[in-house]
Amino acid sequence: MHFKNKIVIITGAASGIGKACAFQFAKKGATVVVADINLENAQKIADEIVTNQGNALPIKVNVAKFTDVEKLINTTVAEFGKIDIMINNAGIGPSYLKTHEATLRDWDRVISVNQTGVFYGMKLALQQFLIQGYGNIVNVASLAGLKASSHNISYSASKFAVVGMTKSAAMEYASQNIRINAVCPGYTASPLLDQLRNTKPEMDAKLKSVIPMKRYAKPDEIAAAVLWLASDETQFITGQTITLDGGTSL
């Protein structure tokens, strides 16, 4: 599996799963656009990729802003002439409240990034893919987009939406050499999980108790599935959600 001469955009690439994807794509030969709201960290990731003989371009983007995502796509095309792969990974967590306690601010904040941000990324990447005649999108959803998840209404809603958008768009563009899939990670060692554990320390043992493998996923393990779906080895796969949860959904 290689990505030589491929141009890959990864949102939320400065940490967690996005960071792992950036390093793995670069190691396999891709030129990686390290897109993140935190430009300082994105620059660090890009610098490390370049230091290891890879190619990377850091770009600041707030995926909740259409003009930011538009600039991301336009800058990438202007710089490299194409986009081969779009990884919509940027996401934020909720405030972990019951539905009747959830604030309007929390709802709007999470939906704008996790759902609307993915829509923006898909819409604009697809416009470029239609010009090129090909393309590949992998969305990072969640186990919370496949099954019930309490104290999580905005996050759950956004991730169910990502799964639905993935399937709907995959059907629309399957005949045009464009594939769209999603990964649905379970509990993964990442800043989002750290946020939950810092808010409710007692959750650490509770979460591990419902994972048959008794551990969290490593970001590299999720990234490996992203790369597989984005590769030429899965050319007849579209509209699918790959669950990586250590058996939690069982």
Side-chain angles (χ1 to χ4, degrees):
M1 187 166 60
H2 69 85
F3 295 91
K4 187 177 180 180
N5 299 321
K6 301 286 189 181
I7 308 301
V8 182
I9 295 177
I10 305 170
T11 65
S15 64
I17 293 170
K19 176 181 175 180
C21 287
F23 285 140
Q24 288 196 27
F25 271 114
K27 187 176 180 180
K28 298 289 186 179
T31 293
V32 180
V33 177
V34 183
D36 202 280
I37 195 169
N38 187 327
L39 182 58
E40 181 180 356
N41 285 351
Q43 183 69 62
K44 290 178 181 177
I45 301 303
D47 288 346
E48 187 170 344
I49 288 173
V50 172
T51 298
N52 287 286
Q53 313 306 313
N55 297 306
L57 174 67
I59 296 180
K60 181 174 182 177
V61 60
N62 177 352
V63 298
K65 293 183 178 180
F66 182 78
T67 53
D68 271 24
V69 183
E70 192 172 40
K71 183 179 178 181
L72 169 66
I73 298 297
N74 291 342
T75 300
T76 301
V77 174
E79 184 74 20
F80 303 110
K82 63 173 183 171
I83 303 167
D84 295 287
I85 300 162
M86 180 77 185
I87 309 299
N88 290 304
N89 165 73
I92 57 176
S95 297
Y96 303 104
L97 299 169
K98 288 186 175 181
T99 300
H100 77 282
E101 298 171 324
T103 66
L104 299 183
R105 178 181 178 277
D106 179 70
W107 174 269
D108 291 340
R109 182 180 64 93
V110 173
I111 295 299
S112 68
V113 174
N114 294 6
Q115 179 176 336
T116 305
V118 171
F119 164 66
Y120 290 163
M122 291 174 66
K123 173 183 172 62
L124 292 166
L126 284 164
Q127 289 175 356
Q128 176 61 28
F129 291 164
L130 289 170
I131 293 171
Q132 298 173 178
Y134 71 92
N136 194 317
I137 295 174
V138 181
N139 296 322
V140 178
S142 171
L143 183 59
L146 297 173
K147 62 183 291 293
S149 180
S150 66
H151 296 76
N152 224 0
I153 189 67
S154 57
Y155 188 80
S156 182
S158 70
K159 294 302 185 177
F160 266 92
V162 170
V163 170
M165 290 190 294
T166 297
K167 291 180 178 294
S168 294
M171 182 180 292
E172 292 172 358
Y173 299 98
S175 65
Q176 293 165 283
N177 202 27
I178 297 170
R179 297 192 297 114
I180 307 170
N181 293 288
V183 293
C184 292
Y187 299 112
T188 304
S190 68
L192 281 182
L193 183 62
D194 291 342
Q195 176 187 336
L196 172 58
R197 293 190 295 176
N198 291 337
T199 303
K200 298 182 177 182
E202 71 277 7
M203 289 298 292
D204 188 59
K206 184 176 181 179
L207 293 178
K208 287 180 180 176
S209 73
V210 301
I211 305 172
M213 288 189 179
K214 303 303 178 187
R215 68 173 179 87
Y216 301 127
K218 301 172 185 176
D220 279 340
E221 293 172 320
I222 310 304
V226 172
L227 265 72
W228 181 69
L229 287 171
S231 75
D232 290 338
E233 297 180 14
T234 54
Q235 293 188 52
F236 204 56
I237 297 178
T238 196
Q240 300 304 303
T241 55
I242 305 297
T243 305
L244 302 106
D245 66 355
T248 304
S249 55
L250 301 177

